[in-house]
Amino acid sequence: MQKKDNIATPSTPARIRHRRRSTEVIPEAGKANGSHLLVGDHNKYRSMLIRAYSTLWMIGGFAFIVYMGHLYITAMVVVIQIFMAQELFSLLRKTHEDSHLPGFRQLNWHFFFTAMLFVYGRLLSQRLVNTVTSDKFLYQLVNSFIKYHMVACYFLYIAGFMWFILTLKKKMYKYQFGQYAWTHMILIVVFTQSSFTVANIFEGIFWFLLPASLIVINDIFAYIFGFFFGRTPLIKLSPKKTWEGFIGASVTTIISAFVLANVLGRYQWLTCPRKDLSTGWLHCDPGPLFKPEHFTLQGRVPQWFPWKEISVLPVQWHALWLGLFASIIAPFGGFFASGFKRAFKIKDFGDSIPGHGGMTDRMDCQMVMAVFAYIYHHTFVVPQSISVEMILDQILTNLSFEEQQALLVKLGQILQERLGYS
């Protein structure tokens, strides 16, 4: 009987199944259900001061560079691209693997500078031609560069491709091809979007400065409103982002867009397009977008209201759309970056800016905004008809000096024949 009992009731203890615990962070009781998200954070004011101090330095430096002009702003964009590429290249690097692949890091930068030569060569070729027109030797040299620019960039890329193939090592294939793909993704993200930024700069600093300023304003006021009034989490990807900060920043950004466009639109230095690579002051006809229209408020406002007439630039109505995009859509660039950082389990892309993280952390929304500003400007602002200036640009870009002289002679003959008939 005892033996049967032992068989019926085995002495081995039954395995207890435990539910797998979620890796999601459970909010603290004191922070849940409407209390401030930053309660209990003893370092929040110190963090805010560091962030504010570095922000002031960045705004001051940015204002100085804008004052210096188009070429200096372009140089700033190039420096930002280099910092971003450095941060993104480092994200997937492994020290052990790199130690067995001498020269592999230099290959990343080879592709980077090849892409830079291609993009900026395409963007600035016409302006380079306009800069050296007075010097015949430089003019011919630049024309030769433009003519062979694409083939030179292609063979530079092919050289990098062959370099990559020749450095492949057994047991390192997966890492090397992963780095190759990662490098090309970085080039697409960095250069495709930043090329729109440079295009905006030469269309008039206004079309670069206003969108960039709106992103800064939105970021600052989202932080301020979230810091003091934040209660409701906005998105899980960014736990410190709140609905209060998002809404407060959106309203502030749209109002700022309307006001800031009026201020910036009154300076020819900001509104005139730059047709060459010189650094001199600009003078041009600002066009109807930047000529004020006056509206009378008599009878529409109380007697005590100080302004009976207001002056509005037509470009301010376009600025409202830019403000709307900067406050509603552009922040999703930041959310994308937050999700990206969570995927790689990092807090920031770098530490080059105290209180802000790396350069990529500051540029995530800017790149989204720059693309929209370029598309909006060329779709709704720039006239879509063919102009004399556009034809001249094509002639100067695509024809040699001798071909231009032949065109001038032929055009003169045609005009003389028409005048003879009339």
Side-chain angles (χ1 to χ4, degrees):
M1 290 294 293
Q2 188 176 359
K3 186 175 182 181
K4 288 182 181 180
D5 291 341
N6 290 340
I7 295 173
T9 58
S11 58
T12 306
R15 180 179 294 177
I16 300 173
R17 295 175 64 93
H18 294 280
R19 293 182 64 186
R20 185 176 180 180
R21 294 183 180 181
S22 173
T23 57
E24 190 172 338
V25 178
I26 300 173
E28 298 175 15
K31 297 183 182 180
N33 301 324
S35 61
H36 290 278
L37 294 179
L38 292 174
V39 169
D41 185 358
H42 300 292
N43 295 321
K44 65 176 183 177
Y45 288 105
R46 180 176 176 272
S47 174
M48 184 182 184
L49 286 174
I50 294 173
R51 189 182 180 99
Y53 184 73
S54 59
T55 298
L56 289 175
W57 271 102
M58 284 192 294
I59 292 174
F62 180 72
F64 176 74
I65 292 172
V66 168
Y67 171 78
M68 294 301 293
H70 305 69
L71 206 57
Y72 292 87
I73 301 172
T74 303
M76 178 191 69
V77 172
V78 171
V79 171
I80 289 172
Q81 287 178 333
I82 293 172
F83 272 96
M84 289 178 63
Q86 172 64 37
E87 292 169 359
L88 294 172
F89 283 151
S90 301
L91 203 58
L92 288 185
R93 278 180 181 158
K94 297 179 181 178
T95 307
H96 176 72
E97 282 79 354
D98 282 353
S99 64
H100 292 85
L101 298 169
F104 194 69
R105 290 188 179 186
Q106 285 73 19
L107 181 60
N108 292 338
W109 290 108
H110 172 83
F111 284 122
F112 177 85
F113 287 109
T114 300
M116 180 178 289
L117 179 64
F118 177 77
V119 170
Y120 288 111
R122 300 278 290 179
L123 282 173
L124 304 179
S125 58
Q126 178 56 51
R127 292 170 177 86
L128 186 58
V129 168
N130 295 342
T131 306
V132 301
T133 304
S134 58
D135 190 309
K136 187 176 180 179
F137 173 75
L138 286 177
Y139 183 79
Q140 291 177 343
L141 186 66
V142 168
N143 269 317
S144 299
F145 167 76
I146 294 171
K147 183 176 181 179
Y148 299 108
H149 166 255
M150 187 173 291
V151 70
C153 292
Y154 175 74
F155 278 107
L156 281 172
Y157 178 82
I158 289 297
F161 176 74
M162 294 171 64
W163 181 0
F164 169 74
I165 297 298
L166 293 173
T167 57
L168 288 173
K169 285 191 175 183
K170 194 174 181 180
K171 298 183 179 180
M172 304 287 285
Y173 295 153
K174 185 176 181 179
Y175 174 74
Q176 288 181 279
F177 276 100
Q179 287 288 315
Y180 185 80
W182 178 239
T183 299
H184 283 69
M185 196 196 84
I186 292 171
L187 298 181
I188 292 170
V189 170
V190 173
F191 280 105
T192 301
Q193 301 193 28
S194 58
S195 63
F196 290 106
T197 303
V198 176
N200 292 338
I201 293 168
F202 284 92
E203 290 293 339
I205 295 177
F206 178 92
W207 297 105
F208 160 76
L209 184 58
L210 179 64
S213 300
L214 294 180
I215 293 296
V216 174
I217 290 170
N218 186 262
D219 186 58
I220 290 173
F221 281 94
Y223 183 79
I224 291 173
F225 278 98
F227 186 87
F228 291 105
F229 308 108
R231 294 176 179 271
T232 314
L234 175 63
I235 188 170
K236 287 184 177 180
L237 287 173
S238 293
K240 290 186 178 181
K241 299 288 175 62
T242 63
W243 274 106
E244 290 79 7
F246 183 77
I247 295 171
S250 298
V251 174
T252 307
T253 303
I254 293 171
I255 295 172
S256 299
F258 191 77
V259 175
L260 195 59
N262 188 288
V263 176
L264 300 178
R266 297 180 183 274
Y267 297 95
Q268 288 191 17
W269 176 244
L270 301 177
T271 57
C272 292
R274 172 68 77 182
K275 297 299 183 181
D276 54 27
L277 299 181
S278 63
T279 56
W281 288 97
L282 288 170
H283 300 283
C284 68
D285 179 8
L289 275 181
F290 298 101
K291 292 180 179 177
E293 297 176 349
H294 301 279
F295 297 91
T296 303
L297 300 179
Q298 192 73 29
R300 301 180 183 180
V301 294
Q303 293 294 328
W304 52 264
F305 195 73
W307 296 286
K308 304 303 179 184
E309 185 180 86
I310 60 171
S311 169
V312 177
L313 302 179
V315 76
Q316 288 180 256
W317 307 117
H318 292 288
L320 287 176
W321 291 105
L322 295 177
L324 189 66
F325 187 91
S327 57
I328 305 297
I329 308 298
F332 280 84
F335 301 151
F336 176 84
S338 296
F340 197 83
K341 287 183 284 188
R342 282 179 171 265
F344 286 92
K345 298 179 181 179
I346 56 174
K347 183 179 183 294
D348 295 310
F349 286 103
D351 55 1
S352 53
I353 309 174
H356 292 269
M359 194 65 72
T360 310
D361 294 285
R362 290 299 91 213
M363 292 297 115
D364 44 17
C365 300
Q366 290 284 5
M367 291 192 295
V368 177
M369 187 68 198
V371 177
F372 174 74
Y374 177 86
I375 293 172
Y376 184 90
H377 179 260
H378 279 264
T379 304
F380 300 106
V381 178
V382 176
Q384 298 301 310
S385 59
I386 296 176
S387 64
V388 174
E389 191 174 45
M390 290 173 62
I391 295 172
L392 283 174
D393 284 345
Q394 291 295 319
I395 291 171
L396 293 172
T397 303
N398 299 312
L399 298 182
S400 67
F401 184 73
E402 290 75 15
E403 289 171 331
Q404 291 172 22
Q405 286 181 316
L407 177 65
L408 180 62
V409 171
K410 186 66 176 176
L411 186 61
Q413 292 174 353
I414 293 172
L415 290 175
Q416 284 181 353
E417 290 174 2
R418 289 187 177 182
L419 288 172
Y421 287 125
S422 62

